[in-house]
Amino acid sequence: MRLLERVRKEWFMVGIVVAIGAAKLEPSVGVNGGPLKPEITVSYIAVATIFFNSGLSLKTEELTSALVHLKLHLFIQIFTLAFFPATIWLFLQLLSVTTINEWLLKGLQTVGCMPPPVSSAVILTKAVGGNEAAAIFNSAFGSFLGIVVTPVLLLLFIVRRYIKDWLERKKPPFGVVSSSVLLMIIYTTFCDTFSNPSIDLDKFSLVLILFIIVSVQLSFMLLTFIFSTRNNSGFTPADTVAIIFCSTHKSLTLGIPMLKIVFAGHEHLSLISVPLLIYHPAQILLGSVLVPTIKSWMVSRQKGVKLTRPTV
């Protein structure tokens, strides 16, 4: 199962590179009015498929499995959907005086506003041995909050209720479907970019954005660790693991369609999308690298708690 998940993620990363490369070679195929007709196939069909597929794959019954940990959930949701975007906004006020491409900075702000992903935060939390139930709840609930404004979500929950047994029995490849459609959206987005000669992305801005994104992720992971390990926090080591990953991860699967809707027809949409396209693989890479360290810390803390617990 882990091998299949790894193959799927690596396939998707390669797919992003191929999609952008193909858009660079022949952008006329995916531009508005081109053979793919993205103004219809992407703007309506692909985006609707992403949300519909995400809703069907979301096990809403799992939202109730960890409801009792109210303090933990409030911490993660407030950090993800309030503190994170507000801090990024303040940081961007300082960066606005630099020479970094302004549309990349706007894209960085959109990253801060994104909901958490349902998959990566849960997978990494489970790999460490943290509070998986809390990770499932907050990733699922955070994604729910991210798309609650769309009437499509109501339809998704209704549909899932009636075909729940079929979904559990057949286990459709939701991940493959979402990834394939997402690659199509990324491809057509960059076709618009490469077909517009007035758009220029300097390498200096791109390198700085990459550095900023990695720094932001590490800083926020450290910040959530410090907050959740205070003596009076009330969180267990397993809770801290869930907090670290769920509070700092952002969803690409829901994020790209959202940007496509909010910035529909915008000539700089691809540049706005770049920070999110960088943030996604960066969070998986950093999380994977830090898993052994975080797991070692959690195990040592749990052993310490057992040793100091008084015997009856």
Side-chain angles (χ1 to χ4, degrees):
M1 189 66 179
R2 290 181 179 179
L3 178 61
L4 290 175
E5 183 66 25
R6 183 177 178 182
V7 169
R8 187 180 72 81
K9 287 186 179 296
E10 290 181 352
W11 164 80
F12 182 63
M13 298 303 175
V14 172
I16 291 178
V17 175
V18 172
I20 296 175
K24 176 66 174 177
L25 289 175
E26 192 55 59
S28 61
V29 175
V31 297
N32 286 342
L36 282 183
K37 300 293 181 184
E39 62 272 19
I40 298 174
T41 57
V42 172
S43 298
Y44 297 101
I45 300 175
V47 171
T49 301
I50 285 284
F51 283 117
F52 190 79
N53 192 63
S54 296
L56 289 180
S57 62
L58 180 62
K59 296 183 178 181
T60 53
E61 59 272 15
E62 291 179 345
L63 294 177
T64 60
S65 66
L67 274 173
V68 292
H69 301 294
L70 183 60
K71 183 179 179 180
L72 173 63
H73 307 323
L74 283 175
F75 180 95
I76 292 176
Q77 297 305 324
I78 291 174
F79 190 97
T80 303
L81 299 174
F83 180 83
F84 199 124
T87 304
I88 292 295
W89 180 83
L90 290 173
F91 184 47
L92 291 181
Q93 303 311 300
L94 299 176
L95 293 178
S96 62
V97 299
T98 66
T99 58
I100 300 177
N101 187 291
E102 64 171 311
W103 298 106
L104 289 180
L105 295 180
K106 290 183 185 297
L108 194 57
Q109 181 65 74
T110 65
V111 170
C113 298
M114 290 299 158
V118 176
S119 56
S120 62
V122 176
I123 292 169
L124 291 171
T125 299
K126 185 176 182 179
V128 173
N131 191 334
E132 186 181 354
I136 291 173
F137 175 87
N138 283 282
S139 293
F141 188 61
S143 295
F144 165 76
L145 289 178
I147 56 177
V148 71
V149 294
T150 60
V152 176
L153 187 62
L154 296 175
L155 175 62
L156 298 178
F157 285 123
I158 293 171
V159 171
R160 181 176 175 84
R161 182 186 307 171
Y162 288 106
I163 63 173
K164 175 184 174 183
D165 293 337
W166 181 84
L167 291 173
E168 294 296 332
R169 187 171 63 256
K170 296 295 184 178
K171 300 186 183 302
F174 292 117
V176 174
V177 173
S178 290
S179 297
S180 300
V181 176
L182 196 57
L183 288 175
M184 178 183 176
I185 296 175
I186 292 171
Y187 168 70
T188 56
T189 297
F190 277 87
C191 280
D192 285 335
T193 298
F194 296 130
S195 64
N196 190 341
S198 64
I199 295 178
D200 182 34
L201 176 59
D202 60 288
K203 295 180 180 178
F204 175 73
S205 294
L206 192 59
V207 171
L208 275 183
I209 286 294
L210 175 60
F211 174 77
I212 290 170
I213 285 174
V214 174
S215 300
V216 165
Q217 287 192 25
L218 288 174
S219 299
F220 280 2
M221 291 179 79
L222 178 61
L223 197 59
T224 53
F225 175 80
I226 293 173
F227 283 161
S228 61
T229 54
R230 293 177 302 172
N231 292 332
N232 60 345
S233 68
F235 298 129
T236 66
D239 291 339
T240 295
V241 174
I243 287 172
I244 290 174
F245 291 125
C246 292
S247 298
T248 59
H249 280 213
K250 296 295 182 177
S251 176
L252 179 69
T253 304
L254 297 179
I256 290 296
M258 284 181 179
L259 293 180
K260 196 73 177 179
I261 293 172
V262 175
F263 297 97
H266 201 294
E267 64 174 344
H268 293 99
L269 172 60
S270 59
L271 295 185
I272 295 173
S273 305
V274 165
L276 184 58
L277 291 172
I278 295 175
Y279 197 98
H280 177 74
Q283 70 188 9
I284 295 175
L285 178 61
L286 282 176
S288 301
V289 169
L290 292 174
V291 160
T293 302
I294 297 175
K295 185 173 185 177
S296 177
W297 168 84
M298 189 191 73
V299 171
S300 64
R301 282 293 297 270
Q302 288 176 333
K303 287 182 178 178
V305 170
K306 291 180 181 179
L307 290 175
T308 57
R309 185 175 298 166
T311 57
V312 179

